[in-house]
Amino acid sequence: MTATNMTIPHELLPADGRFGSGPARIRHAQIDALTASASTVLGTSHRQAPVKDLVGRIRTGLAELFGLPAGYEVVLGNGGSTVFWDVAAFGLVRERAAHATFGEFGQKFAKATNDAPHLEKSLILTAEPGTSAVPTPAAFAEAARADSAEAGADGAEVPSADVYAWPHNETSTGVATRIARPEGIDDDALVLIDATSGAGGLPVDIRETDVYYFAPQKNMGSDGGLWVAIMSPKAIARAQEIKDSGRWIPASLDLVTAIENSRKNQTYNTPAVSTLLLLAEQIDWINGNGGLDWATARTRETSGCVYAWADECEVAHPYVADPEDRSSVVVTVDFDESVDAALVASVLRANGVVDVEPYRKLGRNQLRIATFVSVNPEDVKALLSCLDFVIDALS
């Protein structure tokens, strides 16, 4: 038996072999709902009741899912989280942002604000991939002291920021953070959390955030091309303040315009209606099964199976060393030199078990397994049986 012709026994295979971290698994019931809407919603005007009702369903469903406090609003726009970083740079950062980065996606938002010509240079707290960080004034001060000591200089005063931002879940590495307003930040500073792969699968108290934003192609089980931001009254006021200041903002990145359109249950320009429908179905499914408590318990169970397997496996171990940093929606597993993880992934793919390759820029001998809420725990157990079979056969 060789890697090119290896057949995994059918009884070991998962019922659904999709384990990608985004685009991620879409449930069959969502596709059925999409088909059922083919002549009633799809292909109809986004300014008319069928699509506007769909947007309203998403906004109401998310309010229920996250238990939104009074005054918080659900805002939608086109373009995904990548576009929202530019929206935030134009419409939420008054002068300076502070970021914690510990992977690819946190770095991208930090670069967006740091490169913006109308803003001061960002404060960026960097942690090694596989670990976490939170951008607190104390952490920045400690980093400044360490840099000054290394340079043989006195410590420089760390400027304050009006936005503090970091990922809830770093998709590239499988690191998750606990969300709490950083101690010592100014009262009017905003807390922005990138929840693209964490929303609906990790616990969060929205009251600790001012903007909790995500794109729906990961744990939310939809397609890309949309951003969703849950905004506090303070964040909404900040967006209006910046617009009223006369700052030039491209129309497609105007957050106040997005807020005003969302209140009408619509987006500023034409959305991908199928993405909206898939998202609405996923939100309803999660809420119908018990909401965020149910979803987070399910992802903990599913990811726990993988971490337990990696801890017990002689040739593998969890990439994220500190259990407190380990994500329950994206699991990364490193392998020792005796196992070619890329070869294992190719054998799995040839047998219909797909998208367990690591994030390309990490360059590690690794597998990355999404354990989003749509992933059945039994499928993950089957995947682990497949891994045992393939690793044993290749050895």
Side-chain angles (χ1 to χ4, degrees), residues 114-128:
N114 196 56
D115 291 350
H118 59 281
L119 299 176
E120 299 293 332
K121 289 299 181 182
S122 299
L123 303 175
I124 302 174
L125 183 69
T126 302
E128 288 299 314

PDB file of all heavy atoms in Angstrom, residues 114-128:
ATOM      1  N   ASN A 114      -2.236  51.002  11.136  1.00  0.00           N
ATOM      2  CA  ASN A 114      -0.883  51.561  11.199  1.00  0.00           C
ATOM      3  C   ASN A 114      -0.515  52.293   9.906  1.00  0.00           C
ATOM      4  O   ASN A 114       0.209  53.287   9.936  1.00  0.00           O
ATOM      5  CB  ASN A 114       0.122  50.446  11.477  1.00  0.00           C
ATOM      6  CG  ASN A 114       1.466  50.964  11.926  1.00  0.00           C
ATOM      7  OD1 ASN A 114       1.558  51.690  12.899  1.00  0.00           O
ATOM      8  ND2 ASN A 114       2.523  50.593  11.207  1.00  0.00           N
ATOM      9  N   ASP A 115      -1.026  51.803   8.780  1.00  0.00           N
ATOM     10  CA  ASP A 115      -0.708  52.404   7.480  1.00  0.00           C
ATOM     11  C   ASP A 115      -1.643  53.537   7.100  1.00  0.00           C
ATOM     12  O   ASP A 115      -1.376  54.256   6.130  1.00  0.00           O
ATOM     13  CB  ASP A 115      -0.754  51.334   6.379  1.00  0.00           C
ATOM     14  CG  ASP A 115       0.374  50.326   6.479  1.00  0.00           C
ATOM     15  OD1 ASP A 115       1.300  50.550   7.280  1.00  0.00           O
ATOM     16  OD2 ASP A 115       0.325  49.305   5.767  1.00  0.00           O
ATOM     17  N   ALA A 116      -2.749  53.703   7.816  1.00  0.00           N
ATOM     18  CA  ALA A 116      -3.725  54.735   7.450  1.00  0.00           C
ATOM     19  C   ALA A 116      -3.092  56.121   7.605  1.00  0.00           C
ATOM     20  O   ALA A 116      -2.650  56.487   8.697  1.00  0.00           O
ATOM     21  CB  ALA A 116      -4.967  54.623   8.321  1.00  0.00           C
ATOM     22  N   PRO A 117      -3.052  56.920   6.548  1.00  0.00           N
ATOM     23  CA  PRO A 117      -2.346  58.210   6.621  1.00  0.00           C
ATOM     24  C   PRO A 117      -3.013  59.233   7.540  1.00  0.00           C
ATOM     25  O   PRO A 117      -2.359  60.187   7.961  1.00  0.00           O
ATOM     26  CB  PRO A 117      -2.352  58.690   5.160  1.00  0.00           C
ATOM     27  CG  PRO A 117      -3.506  57.991   4.531  1.00  0.00           C
ATOM     28  CD  PRO A 117      -3.593  56.657   5.206  1.00  0.00           C
ATOM     29  N   HIS A 118      -4.291  59.043   7.857  1.00  0.00           N
ATOM     30  CA  HIS A 118      -4.994  60.011   8.701  1.00  0.00           C
ATOM     31  C   HIS A 118      -4.899  59.668  10.179  1.00  0.00           C
ATOM     32  O   HIS A 118      -5.451  60.399  11.014  1.00  0.00           O
ATOM     33  CB  HIS A 118      -6.467  60.101   8.290  1.00  0.00           C
ATOM     34  CG  HIS A 118      -7.200  58.797   8.391  1.00  0.00           C
ATOM     35  ND1 HIS A 118      -7.104  57.808   7.450  1.00  0.00           N
ATOM     36  CD2 HIS A 118      -8.047  58.316   9.336  1.00  0.00           C
ATOM     37  CE1 HIS A 118      -7.854  56.783   7.796  1.00  0.00           C
ATOM     38  NE2 HIS A 118      -8.437  57.066   8.950  1.00  0.00           N
ATOM     39  N   LEU A 119      -4.213  58.565  10.521  1.00  0.00           N
ATOM     40  CA  LEU A 119      -4.111  58.133  11.920  1.00  0.00           C
ATOM     41  C   LEU A 119      -2.669  58.174  12.402  1.00  0.00           C
ATOM     42  O   LEU A 119      -1.722  58.087  11.613  1.00  0.00           O
ATOM     43  CB  LEU A 119      -4.651  56.707  12.068  1.00  0.00           C
ATOM     44  CG  LEU A 119      -6.119  56.468  11.705  1.00  0.00           C
ATOM     45  CD1 LEU A 119      -6.456  54.987  11.829  1.00  0.00           C
ATOM     46  CD2 LEU A 119      -7.047  57.309  12.580  1.00  0.00           C
ATOM     47  N   GLU A 120      -2.506  58.288  13.738  1.00  0.00           N
ATOM     48  CA  GLU A 120      -1.192  58.123  14.334  1.00  0.00           C
ATOM     49  C   GLU A 120      -0.771  56.657  14.238  1.00  0.00           C
ATOM     50  O   GLU A 120      -1.602  55.765  14.091  1.00  0.00           O
ATOM     51  CB  GLU A 120      -1.234  58.559  15.812  1.00  0.00           C
ATOM     52  CG  GLU A 120      -1.622  60.008  16.036  1.00  0.00           C
ATOM     53  CD  GLU A 120      -0.575  60.981  15.514  1.00  0.00           C
ATOM     54  OE1 GLU A 120       0.612  60.602  15.486  1.00  0.00           O
ATOM     55  OE2 GLU A 120      -0.951  62.110  15.141  1.00  0.00           O
ATOM     56  N   LYS A 121       0.531  56.419  14.322  1.00  0.00           N
ATOM     57  CA  LYS A 121       1.024  55.058  14.253  1.00  0.00           C
ATOM     58  C   LYS A 121       0.425  54.216  15.389  1.00  0.00           C
ATOM     59  O   LYS A 121       0.323  54.672  16.532  1.00  0.00           O
ATOM     60  CB  LYS A 121       2.551  55.018  14.331  1.00  0.00           C
ATOM     61  CG  LYS A 121       3.225  55.557  13.075  1.00  0.00           C
ATOM     62  CD  LYS A 121       2.830  54.718  11.848  1.00  0.00           C
ATOM     63  CE  LYS A 121       3.510  55.212  10.585  1.00  0.00           C
ATOM     64  NZ  LYS A 121       3.084  54.434   9.388  1.00  0.00           N
ATOM     65  N   SER A 122       0.031  53.011  15.057  1.00  0.00           N
ATOM     66  CA  SER A 122      -0.643  52.141  16.020  1.00  0.00           C
ATOM     67  C   SER A 122       0.330  51.592  17.064  1.00  0.00           C
ATOM     68  O   SER A 122       1.529  51.447  16.800  1.00  0.00           O
ATOM     69  CB  SER A 122      -1.315  50.977  15.303  1.00  0.00           C
ATOM     70  OG  SER A 122      -2.296  51.436  14.406  1.00  0.00           O
ATOM     71  N   LEU A 123      -0.219  51.276  18.222  1.00  0.00           N
ATOM     72  CA  LEU A 123       0.505  50.501  19.216  1.00  0.00           C
ATOM     73  C   LEU A 123       0.244  49.034  18.911  1.00  0.00           C
ATOM     74  O   LEU A 123      -0.910  48.620  18.792  1.00  0.00           O
ATOM     75  CB  LEU A 123       0.015  50.832  20.620  1.00  0.00           C
ATOM     76  CG  LEU A 123       0.082  52.300  21.057  1.00  0.00           C
ATOM     77  CD1 LEU A 123      -0.568  52.465  22.429  1.00  0.00           C
ATOM     78  CD2 LEU A 123       1.517  52.786  21.066  1.00  0.00           C
ATOM     79  N   ILE A 124       1.306  48.250  18.779  1.00  0.00           N
ATOM     80  CA  ILE A 124       1.138  46.849  18.390  1.00  0.00           C
ATOM     81  C   ILE A 124       1.905  45.972  19.362  1.00  0.00           C
ATOM     82  O   ILE A 124       3.138  46.055  19.468  1.00  0.00           O
ATOM     83  CB  ILE A 124       1.612  46.606  16.942  1.00  0.00           C
ATOM     84  CG1 ILE A 124       0.833  47.507  15.971  1.00  0.00           C
ATOM     85  CG2 ILE A 124       1.432  45.134  16.571  1.00  0.00           C
ATOM     86  CD1 ILE A 124       1.324  47.441  14.534  1.00  0.00           C
ATOM     87  N   LEU A 125       1.166  45.145  20.091  1.00  0.00           N
ATOM     88  CA  LEU A 125       1.739  44.171  21.014  1.00  0.00           C
ATOM     89  C   LEU A 125       1.769  42.823  20.300  1.00  0.00           C
ATOM     90  O   LEU A 125       0.715  42.296  19.927  1.00  0.00           O
ATOM     91  CB  LEU A 125       0.896  44.094  22.286  1.00  0.00           C
ATOM     92  CG  LEU A 125       1.385  43.187  23.404  1.00  0.00           C
ATOM     93  CD1 LEU A 125       2.654  43.747  24.036  1.00  0.00           C
ATOM     94  CD2 LEU A 125       0.293  43.019  24.462  1.00  0.00           C
ATOM     95  N   THR A 126       2.943  42.280  20.119  1.00  0.00           N
ATOM     96  CA  THR A 126       3.092  41.059  19.331  1.00  0.00           C
ATOM     97  C   THR A 126       3.459  39.890  20.222  1.00  0.00           C
ATOM     98  O   THR A 126       4.359  39.983  21.062  1.00  0.00           O
ATOM     99  CB  THR A 126       4.170  41.242  18.252  1.00  0.00           C
ATOM    100  OG1 THR A 126       3.819  42.349  17.405  1.00  0.00           O
ATOM    101  CG2 THR A 126       4.302  39.994  17.395  1.00  0.00           C
ATOM    102  N   ALA A 127       2.744  38.778  20.035  1.00  0.00           N
ATOM    103  CA  ALA A 127       3.071  37.530  20.721  1.00  0.00           C
ATOM    104  C   ALA A 127       3.387  36.476  19.672  1.00  0.00           C
ATOM    105  O   ALA A 127       2.925  36.556  18.534  1.00  0.00           O
ATOM    106  CB  ALA A 127       1.912  37.072  21.603  1.00  0.00           C
ATOM    107  N   GLU A 128       4.171  35.504  20.047  1.00  0.00           N
ATOM    108  CA  GLU A 128       4.545  34.445  19.113  1.00  0.00           C
ATOM    109  C   GLU A 128       3.322  33.639  18.697  1.00  0.00           C
ATOM    110  O   GLU A 128       2.412  33.413  19.521  1.00  0.00           O
ATOM    111  CB  GLU A 128       5.568  33.510  19.762  1.00  0.00           C
ATOM    112  CG  GLU A 128       6.949  34.116  19.919  1.00  0.00           C
ATOM    113  CD  GLU A 128       7.565  34.488  18.580  1.00  0.00           C
ATOM    114  OE1 GLU A 128       7.514  33.675  17.643  1.00  0.00           O
ATOM    115  OE2 GLU A 128       8.106  35.607  18.474  1.00  0.00           O
TER     116      GLU A 128
END
